[in-house]
Amino acid sequence: KMAAEPTANLTARASVPVSMPVSDTPLGSALRAAVVNGQYTTIPSMVTTAARYIAEADAVLVCAGAGMSVTPGNMVYTNPADFKDHYPWMGKYGYRTAYETMGLVGDPRVPMETKWGYFATHYHDMRWGAPPNE
């Protein structure tokens, strides 16, 4: 027997408390809204909050890494030819590398099914598709 779907207590833009299954919230389009700490919030307000935290910080440590373990033929983040080989259907939406897809969720031109197909394929490829390096 499956447990009931989690619910979120949301505060809509009009500040009216709402309780509904998470899948029925405005998260159907992750671009417009998100549930953060059980509250409905807009993406712009999240960016404003993040900007305030950064402005108030004494220091910001940025850590990033990519590409050190990538094998030839799997450089989908920076090599348009490799990206096209792995995700040929994404070219019709103007995407040439995986780095460009970081805003894919917010692209209204790309159908949701295509987004999920890309993400599922990409995650699978990154975890199991590429041979390990020595």
Side-chain angles (χ1 to χ4, degrees):
K1 184 175 182 180
M2 294 185 67
E5 181 179 10
T7 61
N9 290 318
L10 308 174
T11 302
R13 291 179 192 196
S15 297
V16 177
V18 180
S19 182
M20 63 178 70
V22 172
S23 62
D24 294 339
T25 68
L27 290 174
S29 173
L31 303 347
R32 294 189 311 259
V35 173
V36 178
N37 296 326
Q39 296 294 313
Y40 171 82
T41 184
T42 62
I43 298 298
S45 70
M46 292 170 59
V47 171
T48 300
T49 300
R52 188 180 81 243
Y53 290 160
I54 291 169
E56 294 172 357
D58 293 330
V60 176
L61 174 63
V62 177
C63 300
M68 292 179 63
S69 63
V70 178
T71 56
N74 292 307
M75 296 181 193
V76 297
Y77 282 95
T78 57
N79 186 314
D82 288 350
F83 183 81
K84 185 177 181 179
D85 287 345
H86 286 268
Y87 315 106
W89 66 91
M90 295 301 291
K92 78 177 186 178
Y93 300 105
Y95 291 98
R96 298 175 303 128
T97 67
Y99 277 128
E100 293 173 356
T101 66
M102 291 187 184
L104 179 62
V105 171
D107 189 340
R109 301 170 304 149
V110 182
M112 190 60 71
E113 296 83 359
T114 301
K115 293 173 186 179
W116 277 108
Y118 166 74
F119 290 132
T121 303
H122 184 63
Y123 297 155
H124 177 272
D125 287 352
M126 293 299 101
R127 174 61 180 93
W128 292 287
N133 289 332
E134 297 195 21

